[in-house]
Structures are given as structure tokens and as C-alpha cells.
Amino acid sequence: MKKLLLLFAIIGAVSCQEEPQITADLIIENAKIYTVDDQFSMATALVVKEGKIIFIGTQEELKSQNLKASKTIDATGKFVYPGWIDAHCHFYRLGQQEQRVDLVGTESYQEVLDKIQKFQKANNKTFIIGRGWDQNDWDVKEYPTNKELNELFPETPVAITRIDGHAMVVNEAALKLAHIELNTVFSGGDIEQKKGQLTGILVDNPMKLVRDIFPVASVEEDIEALMDAQDINFSYGITTVDDAGLMRSTIELIDSLQQDGALKMKIYAMITNTPENLDHYLKKGIVKTDRLNVRSVKFYADGALGSRGAAMKQPYTDKHNHFGTLLSSIEDLEGVAKRIAATAYQMNTHAIGDSANYVVLTTYKELLSDQKDRRWRVEHAQIVDPADFHLFDEDNIIPSVQPTHATSDMYWARDRIGEERIKGAYAYKKLLQESKMLALGTDYPIEQVNPFLTFYAAVARKDTSGYPDDGFRADQALSREEALRGMTIWAAFSNFEEHEKGSLEIGKAADFILLDQDIMTVPIDQIPNMQVSATYSNGELVYISK
């Protein structure tokens, strides 16, 4: 009997030494998972605990793990990818636009006017604000005047911004409210005049005079804007956004909503370049939480190509003796850059024209020559002189580009800058070769939110009708793997977040999406119509298709 008791005691001791079963929150199995790790390896199962990935591997490896979860999902062969990271967008502005008149896709100025009237009839605003018109899409490809706006809205101020955000047409009521007259002093842009009269067209810097008199949104309106933007982004599988230009008040509202659990979108915030923002954040230092990262400054070097505000080394081909313009003096650019270089903050500069890109690149290069791993970004890098590509490098200077700009501009870009300069335009493959890193974004609401269009434009270099047959500057197309990396791990790297997101690896955030089709193998012309089945942020289901 004593021997039998001793045997039971030994068995019990051995049993107690067995590894206890780990309880996780979520298991995804029977999936086809693109981890986007260094080896671009595949997996079939992943396990999430407390918002992090604790296992990723094969079904066989999963069976050998002592794991159980409160929820297990059989993916039935669905495809899993890291959540999209939009490396350049305007998240807050997208939400604001939901409350304003939407002029995207208008095919004539008359259609613009019709939409404004319909909007005002439904909303009765004291100040009509809208965005999205593009004269390049009209039969008459010229800026309009405010003549019709003055007739339709003699008392109510109206300000409608071009799709790229670099030109605006305002009526007489808005001009008067902003105190804009024929002799108004400005720099960096234009207050257009014809025959000694203001036309209502403002380009770049003078637009601020009107924006400064926009009605101040209520906290409730701002919260609604942020929540609307979140819903739209999650529906497309975007789990992190780089908002290119935010004021302190908006950043602090975002932080409070995230801390309360209402706003789950992860936001990499570029602070708007104002003295107040710089004084506060550069002194405060990096602000980092699980969902918010404030560590960069958005600076504008020039305007946009569509409004001929991009700063060029030589005159525009389609406008005699016009070079575009720098929006800040070189001295101002250098002064802000030096101030940022003395901190841990990143500088992210909007540069479209080859002259602007040269100024930005040489300024970066000189200031960062004795520093490492600063990852300063050139936002757009749209037209680069072939002699200047070598100034990009993975360690300190990264291009951040938006592929749909190429397919939006391709109809008229060659007319703007000519056959020679187009060779250095929208040159994503060349940028990648030089920098070894390329962050991809949308620049919404200038372009559409849809990241599948980003992927398609990067790889196919066509519009959704399949034009042109051979692709616009097809030699600059990215491979599917490069596009996927640019929308995930490389975007994370450009945000100093590659160790916490951007790929599906143990210890990283469980930010992932499920698709019914494989974006890596589906026929290329089907990609624009792909849809997300489900989106997860920190392992939590934040969107599921209906």
C-alpha cells in the first residue's frame, strides 16, 4: 500500500511539472497569412493575447502549442495581411469634409455650382466651405472666377478649395470678411487679378487669410469628424494613419478620445509648422502612447503641380516664364530644419517640384551629415531632377509617395513639365533603388481613401479603366511585394514603429486584415474592386463587412 501511494505521489509531482495551458484571446486558423517579415514568409495560424501576437506559424505548429483561446476563428482559407498603414493622409480633414460640400469628381464649373446650391439648401450654413474641384477635369481647363458665386450667394461667404488643397475660389463676401483687396501684401502664392479686379482665385499662402476666418468647429463637430474618419478607414483595412499636419488642440482631442477607448485608430501625428506648435512639442519631446505617436513636423516647401505652384528649376512648359514658388524662404526652411535637427523630432517636408526637392534634399543632407537614423522624409518627391536622386538614403532621408497621384496627373503632367522632366517624375522604382525604403500613402481626401487603388497604381500604373495599355511610365512600377511592404513595414519604419507594427510577428501589435482574395496573385485589374472582410486593431474586431 505504501508503495502504491508513493507511485501516485510521483505521478502527481510529474503532472504538476507539465507546462500549464496558455489562455489567449483569439486564435485565427486555416488562413493564408502574409507575415511581411524579412523573409516574406507565410503562415496559416496566429494567436493573440492582450493585443499582441504571441504565436504565428503553421497549423501543425499550432497543435503542438499548449494554447486555448476565448475565441477561435476558422478563416477557411481567407488571406491575412498586416493592417494597412497610410503613410501620408489627412485623417481629421477627411472627417471635416464629411460635414462640407463634396466637389470631388465634378466635370464642370456648373456642376460645382449646382452641388453648392444643393448642399446649402439642405444645410443652410452661415459659411459655405467645400473641396474637391479640379479644372483639369473640365472641358475648359482654366481657373473659374467668382462671378457666379457672387450672384448666387451675395451675403453668404463661400470658399471652395481645389482637390490638391493648393488653390481656392472664394466669393466677394468671403474676400471682404478676410480683408483681401487689390493691394493686399502676400508672399508664396497668388491673389489672382484680371483687368484690375480680383477673380476670387487664391493660390497657396494667401488661402490662409480665408481659412483664418472659417467658423470654429465645436468640440462635438470635431469628435464627429474624427469618428467618421475612423469608420471610413477601418472599412478599408487601414489601422494606422500618418496625419500630415495637425494642430495641438486636435492632437490633444485625439489623445483624450483614444484614452477613453472611443477612438481606436492609431495615429502618427505630424504637427503643423507653427511657432506655437514648435515651441510646445519640441520642448515637450516625443509623445508616445499605444495609439498615438507625435514626433514629426510637417513643413511645406512648395505648392502643387495641378495649380502650377510646384517650384521648378526651369519654367513650366505650358506657362511662359512661370516657375512656381517656394512657400517659405530658404532661410526659413533652414532655420526650422536646424531647430528640429537639435531634437529627436523628424522633419517631413512637402516637396513637389524639382527645385523644391533639391532645396529640401540638400538642406537635409547638410544638417544630417553627422547624424544617423533620423529618417527625415520628403513628402511626395514628385518631380526630382535625375541628378538629385542620389541624395536620398535609407538612414536619413526617406521618400514618402502617393502612387495614385501618378495616375491622377498622367493625363496632363507631361504638358506641364515637358518630355525631359517627366523622366524624373513619379519615379517610384528609382526612389526605391536609391533609398532602399519607400513609404506609401494616399494623401486623402485629395485622392480616394481606398488603399487598393494605392496598390493598383503602384503596380499597374493605370487608371481603373485600364488606361494606358502599357502603364504610365511603366518602368517605374513597383512589384507587388514592394507595394505591400511600402503599405506596411516600410511605412512603419518611416514612423520609427517597425518594432511594434507593420508585419505579423511575435510581440508586435495584432493589427491585421482578412481578404477573400489574394492581392498578391489576383489578376491586376481586379485589385481596385477588392474589399476587406474584416479589420482587427490590437486583436479587436473593429470592422466586418456586411
Side-chain angles (χ1 to χ4, degrees), residues 91 94 224-237 262-263 265 542-543:
F91 180 78
L94 174 71
E224 182 182 358
L226 292 166
M227 300 306 292
D228 285 347
Q230 172 174 264
D231 290 345
I232 295 169
N233 278 264
F234 280 156
S235 73
Y236 284 110
L263 192 66
M265 178 61 62
V542 292
Y543 169 79

Side-chain angles (χ1 to χ4, degrees), residues 167-433:
M168 176 188 287
V169 57
V170 301
N171 67 347
E172 187 66 27
L175 290 172
K176 287 180 178 178
L177 201 59
H179 303 292
I180 297 174
E181 301 173 340
L182 288 169
N183 59 356
T184 297
V185 177
F186 64 91
S187 64
D190 190 22
I191 299 176
E192 188 181 77
Q193 300 180 26
K194 288 184 178 179
K195 297 180 180 180
Q197 298 293 321
L198 296 177
T199 67
I201 290 291
L202 308 176
V203 179
D204 288 318
N205 286 352
M207 296 165 57
K208 185 177 184 299
L209 299 173
V210 174
R211 290 195 182 117
D212 285 346
I213 61 167
F214 281 0
V216 177
S218 67
V219 173
E220 291 76 15
E221 287 172 327
D222 278 346
I223 291 173
E224 182 182 358
L226 292 166
M227 300 306 292
D228 285 347
Q230 172 174 264
D231 290 345
I232 295 169
N233 278 264
F234 280 156
S235 73
Y236 284 110
I238 301 170
T239 54
T240 295
V241 294
D242 293 15
D243 197 316
L246 289 171
M247 298 297 290
R248 176 183 173 183
S249 59
T250 306
I251 292 171
E252 290 177 346
L253 178 59
I254 287 169
D255 188 28
S256 67
L257 291 172
Q258 289 174 331
Q259 297 296 342
D260 287 343
L263 192 66
K264 302 177 187 298
M265 178 61 62
K266 297 181 180 181
I267 297 177
Y268 186 80
M270 307 180 202
I271 66 171
T272 299
N273 172 41
T274 67
E276 297 78 14
N277 279 344
L278 292 178
D279 289 344
H280 176 76
Y281 284 106
L282 296 188
K283 181 179 179 180
K284 184 181 181 70
I286 294 169
V287 178
K288 183 72 172 73
T289 71
D290 181 49
R291 295 188 186 273
L292 179 64
N293 194 356
V294 188
R295 65 169 301 156
S296 64
V297 178
K298 173 67 180 301
F299 192 94
Y300 280 92
D302 65 345
L305 189 66
S307 53
R308 296 187 183 87
M312 304 299 298
K313 292 183 177 182
Q314 299 297 324
Y316 278 77
T317 305
D318 62 354
K319 190 171 182 179
H320 177 67
N321 204 34
H322 181 76
F323 292 80
T325 184
L326 293 175
L327 299 184
S328 298
S329 68
I330 294 176
E331 291 74 23
D332 285 344
L333 169 63
E334 291 175 345
V336 172
K338 285 178 182 178
R339 189 175 176 189
I340 297 170
T343 73
Y345 269 65
Q346 176 192 55
M347 187 169 182
N348 297 343
T349 305
H350 166 116
I352 300 289
D354 55 8
S355 180
N357 274 282
Y358 173 77
V359 169
V360 172
L361 287 166
T362 52
T363 299
Y364 279 14
K365 207 73 174 178
E366 180 178 353
L367 282 175
L368 304 179
S369 60
D370 60 348
Q371 300 190 42
K372 291 187 179 298
D373 198 33
R374 294 306 306 269
R375 308 185 197 183
W376 283 20
R377 289 165 43 168
V378 181
E379 304 296 326
H380 311 305
Q382 199 160 299
I383 306 163
V384 180
D385 188 322
D388 298 333
F389 278 102
H390 73 282
L391 296 170
F392 289 95
D393 69 79
E394 179 183 2
D395 191 44
N396 279 336
I397 307 177
I398 300 172
S400 169
V401 303
Q402 302 75 48
T404 49
H405 282 334
T407 51
S408 291
D409 298 355
M410 63 184 177
Y411 310 102
W412 46 263
R414 186 174 275 103
D415 293 335
R416 285 279 147 90
I417 60 176
E419 201 62 48
E420 279 304 308
R421 286 182 293 188
I422 203 71
K423 296 175 182 177
Y426 315 96
Y428 306 142
K429 196 74 167 184
K430 179 64 174 176
L431 287 168
L432 177 58
Q433 290 169 349

Side-chain angles (χ1 to χ4, degrees), residues 26 28 48 71 73 82-83 234 237-239 509-514 532-544:
L26 175 66
I28 303 285
V48 179
K71 185 169 187 178
I73 295 175
F234 280 156
I238 301 170
T239 54
D511 298 346
F512 58 91
I513 59 174
L514 274 69
V532 172
S533 297
T535 304
Y536 288 80
S537 177
N538 283 352
E540 177 185 356
L541 179 65
V542 292
Y543 169 79
I544 187 166

